Amino acid sequence: GELVLLLGNHELMNMQGKVHYVHKAELAAEGGAGAWKRRMQPTVGDLGAALLRHDAAAVRGGGACRTLFVHAGVRLSVAERFGSVERLNEAVRAQIAARGDGDLLDPREGPLWWRGYARPRQAFRREEQACTEVQAALGALDPSARRMAVGHNIVPWVSSRCGGTLALLDVGMSSAYGGLPAAWRRGDRPRSAE
């Protein structure tokens, strides 16, 4: 097996100096919010620099199991603009390093935030529009990828949409969300949320 750590919106917020959701005891243990923010600076902080080495997206598996993993979802316009997972990851890193802002880091549309595939109605889209876009985004980033697997959208169980092209993996395992432990293996057929 392989464990690949990907960037998510919480890592991004830390590197952007946004610590409003970090537990006060955790901040205090690090010497306060200022000390935490210094450690999380992506170009000079020890923790931020380590996080900046992580990718935003990764493709793993082969054949029918080949999957694009990303925290929230890659929009078609982003996939077409960068054309590969490698170029997308380089651009995300560059935007984080350059003051932590840019369209790829946008809290509505960026790949660490986009919820429109998992929740198309909230994005003012029809299901079939979201499914068509997922498939096209996969084709633009890695034509061999069969599905996009995302978190950032808590669901009661590991599930799928779009005929299996979108796997929803965030079951809210944290005690803050009250979820139960779950796992997904490539090749498993998640329950359909459709």
Side-chain angles (χ1 to χ4, degrees):
E2 180 183 21
L3 175 65
V4 178
L5 301 177
L6 297 176
L7 289 173
N9 63 308
H10 287 261
E11 291 79 16
L12 173 62
M13 287 190 295
N14 271 291
M15 289 187 286
Q16 291 172 323
K18 299 173 184 172
V19 298
H20 58 278
Y21 68 93
V22 179
H23 196 280
K24 290 179 181 167
E26 191 168 358
L27 292 175
E30 288 296 325
W36 180 272
K37 289 178 184 182
R38 283 189 294 281
R39 291 193 71 196
M40 289 293 180
Q41 289 178 0
T43 55
V44 297
D46 61 319
L47 295 176
L51 287 173
L52 191 59
R53 289 191 290 273
H54 293 269
D55 288 332
V59 177
R60 294 294 187 271
C65 294
R66 191 139 175 92
T67 303
L68 168 69
F69 293 89
V70 62
H71 184 69
V74 180
R75 300 294 315 267
L76 175 58
S77 59
V78 170
E80 289 175 336
R81 190 165 101 212
F82 294 100
S84 76
V85 172
E86 293 76 20
R87 285 193 291 275
L88 172 63
N89 285 327
E90 289 168 8
V92 168
R93 276 191 199 90
Q95 287 187 11
I96 292 170
R99 298 174 308 149
D101 66 17
D103 64 322
L104 293 174
L105 312 180
D106 181 83
R108 292 168 301 282
E109 300 272 326
L112 306 180
W113 295 92
W114 172 245
R115 287 188 161 123
Y117 297 144
R119 306 200 190 303
R121 282 181 229 103
Q122 289 180 358
F124 305 104
R125 304 172 114 28
R126 292 188 319 271
E127 179 82 11
E128 57 273 10
Q129 289 174 305
C131 294
T132 298
E133 187 174 328
V134 168
Q135 190 64 51
L138 286 169
L141 280 178
D142 186 326
S144 66
R146 301 287 189 252
R147 74 184 59 79
M148 187 181 299
V150 302
H152 196 61
N153 298 278
I154 297 174
V155 292
W157 55 82
V158 172
S159 55
S160 71
R161 294 183 91 103
C162 305
T165 304
L166 180 69
L168 306 170
L169 306 182
D170 188 346
V171 295
M173 288 186 349
S174 166
S175 61
Y177 300 108
L180 298 173
W184 177 69
R185 294 179 303 166
R186 290 187 315 246
D188 281 357
R189 295 186 182 270
R191 292 189 209 181
S192 176
E194 301 172 280

Short mmCIF file of all heavy atoms in Angstrom, two decimals, residues 103-160:
data_model
loop_
_atom_site.label_atom_id
_atom_site.label_comp_id
_atom_site.label_asym_id
_atom_site.label_seq_id
_atom_site.Cartn_x
_atom_site.Cartn_y
_atom_site.Cartn_z
N ASP A 103 -6.35 32.26 -7.64
CA ASP A 103 -7.63 31.63 -8.00
C ASP A 103 -7.69 30.15 -7.61
O ASP A 103 -8.76 29.64 -7.31
CB ASP A 103 -7.93 31.82 -9.48
CG ASP A 103 -6.92 31.14 -10.39
OD1 ASP A 103 -5.71 31.14 -10.08
OD2 ASP A 103 -7.35 30.60 -11.43
N LEU A 104 -6.55 29.47 -7.57
CA LEU A 104 -6.57 28.06 -7.18
C LEU A 104 -6.84 27.89 -5.68
O LEU A 104 -7.18 26.81 -5.23
CB LEU A 104 -5.25 27.39 -7.53
CG LEU A 104 -4.98 27.25 -9.03
CD1 LEU A 104 -3.58 26.71 -9.27
CD2 LEU A 104 -6.03 26.37 -9.69
N LEU A 105 -6.69 28.95 -4.93
CA LEU A 105 -6.91 28.92 -3.48
C LEU A 105 -8.25 29.53 -3.09
O LEU A 105 -8.57 29.63 -1.91
CB LEU A 105 -5.76 29.64 -2.77
CG LEU A 105 -4.35 29.25 -3.21
CD1 LEU A 105 -3.31 30.03 -2.44
CD2 LEU A 105 -4.13 27.76 -3.10
N ASP A 106 -9.04 29.90 -4.08
CA ASP A 106 -10.33 30.55 -3.85
C ASP A 106 -11.24 29.65 -3.01
O ASP A 106 -11.39 28.46 -3.32
CB ASP A 106 -11.01 30.84 -5.20
CG ASP A 106 -12.34 31.53 -5.02
OD1 ASP A 106 -12.34 32.76 -4.86
OD2 ASP A 106 -13.38 30.82 -5.02
N PRO A 107 -11.84 30.19 -1.96
CA PRO A 107 -12.67 29.36 -1.06
C PRO A 107 -14.02 28.94 -1.64
O PRO A 107 -14.78 28.25 -0.97
CB PRO A 107 -12.86 30.25 0.18
CG PRO A 107 -12.65 31.63 -0.30
CD PRO A 107 -11.69 31.55 -1.46
N ARG A 108 -14.30 29.30 -2.87
CA ARG A 108 -15.52 28.83 -3.52
C ARG A 108 -15.23 27.88 -4.67
O ARG A 108 -15.94 26.92 -4.87
CB ARG A 108 -16.34 30.02 -4.02
CG ARG A 108 -16.92 30.86 -2.91
CD ARG A 108 -17.49 32.18 -3.41
NE ARG A 108 -16.51 33.01 -4.08
CZ ARG A 108 -15.58 33.76 -3.47
NH1 ARG A 108 -15.50 33.77 -2.17
NH2 ARG A 108 -14.73 34.49 -4.15
N GLU A 109 -14.19 28.16 -5.43
CA GLU A 109 -13.95 27.42 -6.67
C GLU A 109 -12.64 26.62 -6.70
O GLU A 109 -12.46 25.81 -7.59
CB GLU A 109 -13.91 28.42 -7.85
CG GLU A 109 -15.18 29.22 -8.02
CD GLU A 109 -16.18 28.52 -8.89
OE1 GLU A 109 -15.79 27.83 -9.83
OE2 GLU A 109 -17.39 28.68 -8.63
N GLY A 110 -11.72 26.87 -5.78
CA GLY A 110 -10.43 26.20 -5.81
C GLY A 110 -10.54 24.71 -5.52
O GLY A 110 -11.49 24.25 -4.89
N PRO A 111 -9.55 23.91 -5.96
CA PRO A 111 -9.62 22.46 -5.77
C PRO A 111 -9.57 22.00 -4.31
O PRO A 111 -9.91 20.85 -4.02
CB PRO A 111 -8.40 21.93 -6.55
CG PRO A 111 -7.51 23.10 -6.74
CD PRO A 111 -8.37 24.33 -6.72
N LEU A 112 -9.18 22.89 -3.41
CA LEU A 112 -9.19 22.53 -1.99
C LEU A 112 -10.53 22.88 -1.34
O LEU A 112 -10.74 22.58 -0.16
CB LEU A 112 -8.05 23.23 -1.24
CG LEU A 112 -6.65 23.02 -1.82
CD1 LEU A 112 -5.61 23.76 -1.00
CD2 LEU A 112 -6.33 21.55 -1.93
N TRP A 113 -11.43 23.49 -2.11
CA TRP A 113 -12.70 23.98 -1.56
C TRP A 113 -13.95 23.58 -2.36
O TRP A 113 -15.04 23.55 -1.81
CB TRP A 113 -12.69 25.52 -1.52
CG TRP A 113 -11.69 26.11 -0.59
CD1 TRP A 113 -10.41 26.49 -0.88
CD2 TRP A 113 -11.88 26.41 0.79
NE1 TRP A 113 -9.81 27.01 0.22
CE2 TRP A 113 -10.69 26.98 1.27
CE3 TRP A 113 -12.96 26.26 1.66
CZ2 TRP A 113 -10.53 27.40 2.58
CZ3 TRP A 113 -12.81 26.67 2.96
CH2 TRP A 113 -11.60 27.23 3.42
N TRP A 114 -13.84 23.34 -3.65
CA TRP A 114 -15.01 23.18 -4.54
C TRP A 114 -15.90 22.02 -4.13
O TRP A 114 -15.48 20.87 -4.11
CB TRP A 114 -14.53 23.00 -5.98
CG TRP A 114 -15.60 22.64 -6.96
CD1 TRP A 114 -15.71 21.48 -7.66
CD2 TRP A 114 -16.70 23.45 -7.37
NE1 TRP A 114 -16.80 21.50 -8.46
CE2 TRP A 114 -17.44 22.70 -8.31
CE3 TRP A 114 -17.15 24.72 -7.03
CZ2 TRP A 114 -18.59 23.19 -8.91
CZ3 TRP A 114 -18.30 25.20 -7.63
CH2 TRP A 114 -19.00 24.45 -8.56
N ARG A 115 -17.15 22.31 -3.82
CA ARG A 115 -18.11 21.29 -3.41
C ARG A 115 -19.17 21.02 -4.46
O ARG A 115 -20.09 20.24 -4.24
CB ARG A 115 -18.82 21.75 -2.12
CG ARG A 115 -17.95 21.67 -0.91
CD ARG A 115 -18.77 21.95 0.35
NE ARG A 115 -18.08 21.45 1.51
CZ ARG A 115 -17.75 22.20 2.55
NH1 ARG A 115 -18.05 23.48 2.57
NH2 ARG A 115 -17.13 21.66 3.57
N GLY A 116 -19.07 21.63 -5.60
CA GLY A 116 -20.11 21.57 -6.61
C GLY A 116 -20.36 20.21 -7.21
O GLY A 116 -21.46 19.94 -7.69
N TYR A 117 -19.38 19.33 -7.22
CA TYR A 117 -19.61 17.98 -7.75
C TYR A 117 -20.39 17.14 -6.74
O TYR A 117 -21.31 16.43 -7.09
CB TYR A 117 -18.30 17.27 -8.07
CG TYR A 117 -17.49 17.93 -9.15
CD1 TYR A 117 -16.11 17.95 -9.09
CD2 TYR A 117 -18.09 18.54 -10.25
CE1 TYR A 117 -15.35 18.53 -10.08
CE2 TYR A 117 -17.35 19.14 -11.24
CZ TYR A 117 -15.97 19.12 -11.15
OH TYR A 117 -15.22 19.71 -12.13
N ALA A 118 -20.01 17.23 -5.50
CA ALA A 118 -20.67 16.45 -4.46
C ALA A 118 -22.04 17.01 -4.11
O ALA A 118 -22.94 16.28 -3.71
CB ALA A 118 -19.80 16.39 -3.21
N ARG A 119 -22.19 18.31 -4.25
CA ARG A 119 -23.45 18.98 -3.92
C ARG A 119 -23.85 19.91 -5.07
O ARG A 119 -23.82 21.13 -4.94
CB ARG A 119 -23.28 19.78 -2.64
CG ARG A 119 -22.74 18.93 -1.49
CD ARG A 119 -23.02 19.53 -0.16
NE ARG A 119 -22.38 18.93 0.98
CZ ARG A 119 -22.46 17.67 1.37
NH1 ARG A 119 -23.12 16.81 0.68
NH2 ARG A 119 -21.85 17.26 2.46
N PRO A 120 -24.23 19.32 -6.21
CA PRO A 120 -24.49 20.15 -7.40
C PRO A 120 -25.59 21.18 -7.22
O PRO A 120 -25.48 22.29 -7.74
CB PRO A 120 -24.85 19.14 -8.49
CG PRO A 120 -25.03 17.83 -7.82
CD PRO A 120 -24.40 17.90 -6.47
N ARG A 121 -26.63 20.87 -6.47
CA ARG A 121 -27.71 21.84 -6.31
C ARG A 121 -27.25 23.08 -5.56
O ARG A 121 -27.71 24.18 -5.84
CB ARG A 121 -28.91 21.19 -5.61
CG ARG A 121 -29.71 20.34 -6.58
CD ARG A 121 -30.92 19.70 -5.93
NE ARG A 121 -30.89 18.28 -6.28
CZ ARG A 121 -30.52 17.31 -5.47
NH1 ARG A 121 -30.19 17.56 -4.24
NH2 ARG A 121 -30.50 16.07 -5.88
N GLN A 122 -26.33 22.91 -4.62
CA GLN A 122 -25.79 24.08 -3.90
C GLN A 122 -24.94 24.95 -4.81
O GLN A 122 -24.74 26.12 -4.53
CB GLN A 122 -24.97 23.63 -2.69
CG GLN A 122 -25.83 23.06 -1.60
CD GLN A 122 -25.02 22.62 -0.40
OE1 GLN A 122 -23.80 22.70 -0.38
NE2 GLN A 122 -25.71 22.16 0.63
N ALA A 123 -24.43 24.36 -5.89
CA ALA A 123 -23.62 25.11 -6.86
C ALA A 123 -24.50 25.58 -8.03
O ALA A 123 -23.98 26.00 -9.06
CB ALA A 123 -22.47 24.26 -7.38
N PHE A 124 -25.82 25.49 -7.87
CA PHE A 124 -26.78 25.91 -8.89
C PHE A 124 -26.56 25.15 -10.20
O PHE A 124 -26.58 25.71 -11.28
CB PHE A 124 -26.72 27.43 -9.11
CG PHE A 124 -26.92 28.19 -7.84
CD1 PHE A 124 -25.85 28.78 -7.20
CD2 PHE A 124 -28.17 28.27 -7.25
CE1 PHE A 124 -26.01 29.47 -6.01
CE2 PHE A 124 -28.35 28.95 -6.06
CZ PHE A 124 -27.27 29.56 -5.44
N ARG A 125 -26.35 23.84 -10.06
CA ARG A 125 -26.15 22.98 -11.22
C ARG A 125 -27.10 21.78 -11.11
O ARG A 125 -27.51 21.39 -10.05
CB ARG A 125 -24.73 22.42 -11.24
CG ARG A 125 -23.64 23.45 -11.22
CD ARG A 125 -22.30 22.78 -11.06
NE ARG A 125 -21.33 22.84 -12.09
CZ ARG A 125 -21.16 23.75 -13.01
NH1 ARG A 125 -21.93 24.68 -13.13
NH2 ARG A 125 -20.21 23.74 -13.88
N ARG A 126 -27.36 21.20 -12.26
CA ARG A 126 -28.09 19.94 -12.28
C ARG A 126 -27.09 18.80 -12.15
O ARG A 126 -25.92 18.93 -12.48
CB ARG A 126 -28.88 19.81 -13.59
CG ARG A 126 -30.02 20.82 -13.70
CD ARG A 126 -30.92 20.55 -14.90
NE ARG A 126 -30.23 20.16 -16.12
CZ ARG A 126 -29.77 21.00 -17.03
NH1 ARG A 126 -29.92 22.30 -16.89
NH2 ARG A 126 -29.16 20.55 -18.12
N GLU A 127 -27.56 17.67 -11.67
CA GLU A 127 -26.71 16.50 -11.47
C GLU A 127 -25.94 16.15 -12.74
O GLU A 127 -24.75 15.92 -12.71
CB GLU A 127 -27.58 15.31 -11.02
CG GLU A 127 -26.82 14.03 -10.80
CD GLU A 127 -26.15 13.95 -9.45
OE1 GLU A 127 -26.42 14.80 -8.58
OE2 GLU A 127 -25.32 13.06 -9.26
N GLU A 128 -26.64 16.11 -13.86
CA GLU A 128 -25.97 15.70 -15.10
C GLU A 128 -24.90 16.71 -15.53
O GLU A 128 -23.89 16.32 -16.12
CB GLU A 128 -26.98 15.45 -16.23
CG GLU A 128 -27.88 16.61 -16.57
CD GLU A 128 -29.17 16.68 -15.73
OE1 GLU A 128 -29.30 15.94 -14.74
OE2 GLU A 128 -30.02 17.49 -16.07
N GLN A 129 -25.08 18.00 -15.21
CA GLN A 129 -24.04 18.98 -15.50
C GLN A 129 -22.79 18.69 -14.68
O GLN A 129 -21.67 18.74 -15.20
CB GLN A 129 -24.52 20.40 -15.19
CG GLN A 129 -25.56 20.94 -16.12
CD GLN A 129 -26.07 22.29 -15.63
OE1 GLN A 129 -26.52 22.40 -14.49
NE2 GLN A 129 -26.00 23.28 -16.49
N ALA A 130 -22.98 18.42 -13.40
CA ALA A 130 -21.84 18.12 -12.54
C ALA A 130 -21.13 16.86 -13.02
O ALA A 130 -19.89 16.82 -13.08
CB ALA A 130 -22.30 17.96 -11.09
N CYS A 131 -21.88 15.83 -13.37
CA CYS A 131 -21.29 14.57 -13.81
C CYS A 131 -20.52 14.74 -15.12
O CYS A 131 -19.42 14.20 -15.28
CB CYS A 131 -22.36 13.51 -13.95
SG CYS A 131 -23.12 13.06 -12.37
N THR A 132 -21.08 15.50 -16.04
CA THR A 132 -20.39 15.77 -17.30
C THR A 132 -19.08 16.51 -17.05
O THR A 132 -18.05 16.21 -17.65
CB THR A 132 -21.30 16.58 -18.24
OG1 THR A 132 -22.46 15.80 -18.52
CG2 THR A 132 -20.60 16.95 -19.53
N GLU A 133 -19.11 17.47 -16.12
CA GLU A 133 -17.91 18.24 -15.82
C GLU A 133 -16.85 17.38 -15.13
O GLU A 133 -15.66 17.51 -15.42
CB GLU A 133 -18.22 19.47 -14.98
CG GLU A 133 -17.01 20.36 -14.80
CD GLU A 133 -17.28 21.67 -14.10
OE1 GLU A 133 -18.38 22.23 -14.24
OE2 GLU A 133 -16.36 22.13 -13.41
N VAL A 134 -17.25 16.51 -14.21
CA VAL A 134 -16.28 15.62 -13.55
C VAL A 134 -15.55 14.80 -14.61
O VAL A 134 -14.31 14.71 -14.60
CB VAL A 134 -16.97 14.67 -12.54
CG1 VAL A 134 -16.02 13.56 -12.10
CG2 VAL A 134 -17.47 15.42 -11.33
N GLN A 135 -16.30 14.18 -15.51
CA GLN A 135 -15.70 13.34 -16.55
C GLN A 135 -14.75 14.15 -17.44
O GLN A 135 -13.65 13.70 -17.74
CB GLN A 135 -16.79 12.69 -17.40
CG GLN A 135 -16.27 11.64 -18.34
CD GLN A 135 -15.67 10.46 -17.60
OE1 GLN A 135 -16.29 9.88 -16.71
NE2 GLN A 135 -14.46 10.08 -17.94
N ALA A 136 -15.16 15.34 -17.83
CA ALA A 136 -14.32 16.17 -18.68
C ALA A 136 -13.06 16.64 -17.95
O ALA A 136 -11.97 16.69 -18.53
CB ALA A 136 -15.11 17.37 -19.20
N ALA A 137 -13.19 16.98 -16.67
CA ALA A 137 -12.02 17.40 -15.88
C ALA A 137 -11.02 16.27 -15.75
O ALA A 137 -9.81 16.48 -15.87
CB ALA A 137 -12.46 17.90 -14.50
N LEU A 138 -11.51 15.06 -15.54
CA LEU A 138 -10.62 13.89 -15.49
C LEU A 138 -9.88 13.74 -16.81
O LEU A 138 -8.66 13.52 -16.82
CB LEU A 138 -11.41 12.62 -15.19
CG LEU A 138 -11.90 12.43 -13.76
CD1 LEU A 138 -12.89 11.28 -13.68
CD2 LEU A 138 -10.73 12.20 -12.82
N GLY A 139 -10.61 13.85 -17.91
CA GLY A 139 -9.99 13.73 -19.22
C GLY A 139 -8.93 14.78 -19.48
O GLY A 139 -7.91 14.51 -20.12
N ALA A 140 -9.13 15.98 -18.97
CA ALA A 140 -8.17 17.07 -19.18
C ALA A 140 -6.92 16.91 -18.32
O ALA A 140 -5.83 17.31 -18.73
CB ALA A 140 -8.84 18.41 -18.90
N LEU A 141 -7.06 16.35 -17.12
CA LEU A 141 -5.90 16.21 -16.21
C LEU A 141 -5.15 14.91 -16.40
O LEU A 141 -3.92 14.88 -16.35
CB LEU A 141 -6.34 16.32 -14.75
CG LEU A 141 -6.58 17.70 -14.21
CD1 LEU A 141 -7.06 17.63 -12.77
CD2 LEU A 141 -5.33 18.56 -14.30
N ASP A 142 -5.88 13.81 -16.56
CA ASP A 142 -5.26 12.49 -16.73
C ASP A 142 -6.29 11.60 -17.40
O ASP A 142 -7.15 11.03 -16.73
CB ASP A 142 -4.83 11.91 -15.39
CG ASP A 142 -4.06 10.60 -15.55
OD1 ASP A 142 -4.35 9.82 -16.49
OD2 ASP A 142 -3.16 10.35 -14.74
N PRO A 143 -6.22 11.49 -18.73
CA PRO A 143 -7.24 10.71 -19.45
C PRO A 143 -7.37 9.26 -19.01
O PRO A 143 -8.39 8.63 -19.24
CB PRO A 143 -6.77 10.79 -20.91
CG PRO A 143 -5.91 12.00 -20.97
CD PRO A 143 -5.26 12.12 -19.61
N SER A 144 -6.35 8.73 -18.32
CA SER A 144 -6.44 7.34 -17.86
C SER A 144 -7.19 7.21 -16.53
O SER A 144 -7.53 6.10 -16.13
CB SER A 144 -5.04 6.73 -17.74
OG SER A 144 -4.31 7.36 -16.71
N ALA A 145 -7.44 8.32 -15.84
CA ALA A 145 -8.16 8.27 -14.56
C ALA A 145 -9.63 7.95 -14.80
O ALA A 145 -10.27 8.54 -15.66
CB ALA A 145 -8.01 9.58 -13.80
N ARG A 146 -10.16 7.03 -14.02
CA ARG A 146 -11.55 6.59 -14.18
C ARG A 146 -12.52 7.31 -13.24
O ARG A 146 -13.72 7.29 -13.45
CB ARG A 146 -11.66 5.09 -13.92
CG ARG A 146 -10.82 4.25 -14.82
CD ARG A 146 -11.43 4.22 -16.21
NE ARG A 146 -10.76 3.26 -17.05
CZ ARG A 146 -9.96 3.58 -18.05
NH1 ARG A 146 -9.73 4.84 -18.32
NH2 ARG A 146 -9.39 2.65 -18.77
N ARG A 147 -11.96 7.89 -12.18
CA ARG A 147 -12.84 8.55 -11.21
C ARG A 147 -12.06 9.63 -10.48
O ARG A 147 -10.83 9.63 -10.47
CB ARG A 147 -13.42 7.55 -10.21
CG ARG A 147 -12.44 7.07 -9.17
CD ARG A 147 -12.99 6.01 -8.24
NE ARG A 147 -13.45 4.83 -8.93
CZ ARG A 147 -12.66 3.87 -9.39
NH1 ARG A 147 -11.36 3.95 -9.24
NH2 ARG A 147 -13.16 2.83 -10.00
N MET A 148 -12.81 10.53 -9.83
CA MET A 148 -12.26 11.54 -8.93
C MET A 148 -12.76 11.19 -7.54
O MET A 148 -13.96 11.01 -7.33
CB MET A 148 -12.75 12.94 -9.34
CG MET A 148 -12.12 14.08 -8.58
SD MET A 148 -12.74 15.74 -9.08
CE MET A 148 -12.31 15.82 -10.80
N ALA A 149 -11.85 11.06 -6.60
CA ALA A 149 -12.20 10.76 -5.22
C ALA A 149 -11.97 12.02 -4.39
O ALA A 149 -10.89 12.60 -4.44
CB ALA A 149 -11.35 9.61 -4.69
N VAL A 150 -13.00 12.46 -3.67
CA VAL A 150 -12.94 13.72 -2.94
C VAL A 150 -13.36 13.55 -1.49
O VAL A 150 -14.08 12.62 -1.13
CB VAL A 150 -13.84 14.80 -3.60
CG1 VAL A 150 -13.44 15.04 -5.05
CG2 VAL A 150 -15.32 14.43 -3.52
N GLY A 151 -12.88 14.48 -0.68
CA GLY A 151 -13.33 14.62 0.70
C GLY A 151 -14.10 15.93 0.78
O GLY A 151 -14.78 16.32 -0.16
N HIS A 152 -14.00 16.64 1.89
CA HIS A 152 -14.54 17.99 2.07
C HIS A 152 -16.06 18.06 2.01
O HIS A 152 -16.64 19.13 2.07
CB HIS A 152 -13.90 18.93 1.04
CG HIS A 152 -14.08 20.38 1.36
ND1 HIS A 152 -13.57 20.97 2.51
CD2 HIS A 152 -14.68 21.38 0.67
CE1 HIS A 152 -13.86 22.24 2.50
NE2 HIS A 152 -14.53 22.53 1.41
N ASN A 153 -16.72 16.95 1.85
CA ASN A 153 -18.18 16.88 1.76
C ASN A 153 -18.63 15.70 2.61
O ASN A 153 -18.61 14.57 2.15
CB ASN A 153 -18.63 16.64 0.32
CG ASN A 153 -18.21 17.76 -0.58
OD1 ASN A 153 -18.87 18.78 -0.65
ND2 ASN A 153 -17.09 17.58 -1.28
N ILE A 154 -19.01 15.97 3.84
CA ILE A 154 -19.34 14.87 4.74
C ILE A 154 -20.60 14.15 4.27
O ILE A 154 -21.63 14.77 4.00
CB ILE A 154 -19.49 15.38 6.19
CG1 ILE A 154 -18.15 15.95 6.67
CG2 ILE A 154 -19.97 14.27 7.11
CD1 ILE A 154 -18.21 16.62 8.02
N VAL A 155 -20.47 12.83 4.17
CA VAL A 155 -21.57 11.95 3.79
C VAL A 155 -21.69 10.87 4.85
O VAL A 155 -20.73 10.59 5.57
CB VAL A 155 -21.34 11.34 2.38
CG1 VAL A 155 -21.43 12.42 1.31
CG2 VAL A 155 -20.00 10.63 2.29
N PRO A 156 -22.85 10.24 5.00
CA PRO A 156 -23.01 9.24 6.07
C PRO A 156 -22.19 7.97 5.84
O PRO A 156 -21.90 7.24 6.79
CB PRO A 156 -24.50 8.95 6.09
CG PRO A 156 -25.06 9.53 4.86
CD PRO A 156 -24.10 10.52 4.31
N TRP A 157 -21.84 7.65 4.62
CA TRP A 157 -21.04 6.49 4.29
C TRP A 157 -20.28 6.78 3.01
O TRP A 157 -20.65 7.66 2.25
CB TRP A 157 -21.91 5.23 4.12
CG TRP A 157 -23.00 5.41 3.11
CD1 TRP A 157 -22.88 5.29 1.76
CD2 TRP A 157 -24.36 5.78 3.36
NE1 TRP A 157 -24.09 5.56 1.14
CE2 TRP A 157 -25.01 5.86 2.11
CE3 TRP A 157 -25.09 6.03 4.52
CZ2 TRP A 157 -26.34 6.19 1.98
CZ3 TRP A 157 -26.43 6.36 4.38
CH2 TRP A 157 -27.04 6.43 3.14
N VAL A 158 -19.19 6.06 2.78
CA VAL A 158 -18.46 6.19 1.53
C VAL A 158 -19.44 5.90 0.41
O VAL A 158 -20.16 4.90 0.44
CB VAL A 158 -17.26 5.22 1.49
CG1 VAL A 158 -16.62 5.20 0.12
CG2 VAL A 158 -16.24 5.59 2.56
N SER A 159 -19.53 6.80 -0.54
CA SER A 159 -20.56 6.68 -1.57
C SER A 159 -20.04 7.21 -2.90
O SER A 159 -18.92 7.70 -2.99
CB SER A 159 -21.83 7.43 -1.14
OG SER A 159 -21.53 8.77 -0.83
N SER A 160 -20.86 7.08 -3.93
CA SER A 160 -20.47 7.56 -5.25
C SER A 160 -21.62 8.29 -5.92
O SER A 160 -22.78 8.15 -5.53
CB SER A 160 -20.00 6.39 -6.13
OG SER A 160 -21.10 5.57 -6.49
#
